[in-house]
Amino acid sequence: MPLLVMKFGGTSVADLDRIANAAEKVKREVDRGYDVIVIVSAMSGKTNELVGWVEQTSPLFDAREYDAVVSSGENVTAGLMALRLQEMDVPARSWQGWQVPLQTTSAHSSARIEDIPRANLDRKFAEGMKVAVVAGFQGVSPEGRITTLGRGGSDTTAVAFAAAFEAERCDIYTDVDGVYTTDPRIEDKARKLEKIAFEEMLELASLGAKVLQTRSVELAMRYKVRLRVLSSFEDNDDNAGTLVCAEEDIVESNVVAGVAYSRDEAKMTLISVADRPGIAAAIFGPLSEAGVNVDMIVQNISEEGRTDMTFSCPVDQVARAERAMNGARDKGEIQFSELVADTDVAKVSVVGIGMRSHAGVAARMFAALSQEGINIKVITTSEIKISVLIDRKYMELAVQALHDTFELDKAA
Ligand code: ADP
Ligand code: ASP
Ligand code: MG
């Protein structure tokens, strides 16, 4: 029997009516002859509420209990979706992560999927179950404890199931009708893409476009999963949404495929550190041990053996970074005169595989930002992306200016 994976995000299962609407879409695929694995998120807002409860109860929480609490939103929607389908005479059963079992590492709150043994679900499909509704975002560690896959992790659950069960396609149903040239909520002229290459989607996701979790794109690329993003609120035909696919399957594309942003960044500068061999290791070692996700790094010009070292990290990790740096100074591992945190910055990036063969993208990007009077604080580049750190208050303006400059509203 051909099999599809259909994933419904938080807004798509936000209340009972929306669950019923999603169930109709599932039934349509069952009627067309598919077995279906449905992956559900928690109702929108629920996971944030659960995270808040954990933080209020225990600011330095035990990550195992964090996972026990924040994974629970998906349990509710999985059960409700199975019940709704049963009411529609579709043989359906819900599964929590541990029941499948979806096996993960023990890295609580950001676990990675290790394996999805097929036997349990296969047996049920063979007995006549048409739909397995699986709670997204959660799994079980080798120690037998509940884990979660990081925020937005249901996308990754969906792609991992599609790979394990060799699904014909993995459809990600969400509150937009596809992947756009940038977030359509901050740029009216954003254009929906019919197709986007895995590499570009991977960069956009890791640079902040939350339409797909980064890890889900990595898995889809590795296991060659046909991945589609489409609307749960519209009637979709077979060509609806955006297909995330191999570069070779895209005939024409713009040099820049899209613009991504990440609002909650911080820029940290260590003033006057010794410019000596090993200094970068002495700084970034303790930051990594403290779990700080350092992104951009710049070492400033050295004067008389001293230099300033700047790095960026998520704004909610500033306290952790400060603790790690002050700790390293107390232990005599590094010396610096001051640690300055700028917590009002955002990162804006342009992404496109066309950059490999086209020069001048950086120059056009910097000119567009300069025309708007936006000061660039840090720059990083890779083969297919350029990112800048700017004042957060200019973030939307920057996204719009870059969208205009690269004429992303027009197809290639
Ligand atoms: P879900 O709850 O279905 O997982 P998310 O909120 O995680 O949905 O992701 C969908 C959101 O991603 C959209 O509402 C949109 O605001 C945002 N988004 C950011 N960048 C893009 C982009 N390039 N294309 C489409 N949506 C984007
Ligand atoms: N409910 C989880 C979150 O909000 C997982 C997901 O929706 O993908 O992050
Ligand atoms: Mg999401």
Side-chain angles (χ1 to χ4, degrees), residues 88-106:
M88 295 157 71
D89 294 325
V90 178
R93 183 61 63 209
S94 74
W95 303 78
Q96 297 183 7
W98 65 273
Q99 292 173 303
V100 173
L102 186 146
Q103 296 167 351
T104 72
T105 60
S106 314

Side-chain angles (χ1 to χ4, degrees), residues 7 9-12 155 173-176 178-185 209-211:
K7 179 256 173 178
T11 36
S12 310
D155 298 327
Y173 286 86
T174 184
D175 57 3
V176 281
V179 177
Y180 279 70
T181 47
T182 193
D183 188 344
R185 294 189 202 290
K210 71 171 185 162
V211 61

Side-chain angles (χ1 to χ4, degrees), residues 213-368:
Q213 198 196 34
T214 309
R215 184 88 185 113
S216 72
V217 188
E218 266 169 32
L219 285 183
M221 193 164 150
R222 164 129 47 101
Y223 294 103
K224 302 199 166 38
V225 172
R226 269 177 81 77
L227 180 62
R228 188 164 71 140
V229 176
L230 68 174
S231 166
S232 63
F233 303 129
E234 289 173 14
D235 282 332
N236 302 297
D237 61 27
D238 287 346
N239 297 318
T242 300
L243 191 67
V244 189
C245 59
E247 201 177 320
E248 304 80 69
D249 298 335
I250 300 178
V251 186
E252 299 252 32
S253 63
N254 290 340
V255 177
V256 170
V259 182
Y261 63 86
S262 163
R263 192 184 299 272
D264 300 313
E265 301 285 322
K267 170 173 161 268
M268 312 281 288
T269 305
L270 284 159
I271 310 278
S272 189
V273 293
D275 191 7
R276 60 167 170 83
I279 187 66
I283 292 171
F284 296 105
L287 286 170
S288 149
E289 276 160 35
V292 177
N293 298 313
V294 172
D295 178 20
M296 305 163 130
I297 299 175
V298 183
Q299 183 174 342
N300 301 346
I301 293 165
S302 171
E303 263 176 53
E304 291 164 15
R306 315 291 300 175
T307 185
D308 297 343
M309 188 78 89
T310 298
F311 61 90
S312 70
C313 67
V315 76
D316 61 0
Q317 295 180 358
V318 165
R320 215 183 289 177
E322 286 172 340
R323 215 176 309 136
M325 291 297 86
N326 290 329
R329 178 163 65 178
D330 293 345
K331 281 194 243 160
E333 293 166 358
I334 53 173
Q335 293 166 346
F336 56 90
S337 64
E338 211 184 331
L339 175 55
V340 182
D342 179 354
T343 52
D344 289 322
V345 293
K347 182 170 62 174
V348 175
S349 312
V350 298
V351 170
I353 43 187
M355 282 187 215
R356 287 192 197 125
S357 49
H358 283 79
V361 174
R364 278 170 76 188
M365 177 177 189
F366 302 154

Side-chain angles (χ1 to χ4, degrees), residues 7 10 41-42 47 74 137 150-155:
K7 179 256 173 178
S41 288
T47 310
E74 274 71 8
F137 179 52
R151 298 305 305 271
S154 298
D155 298 327

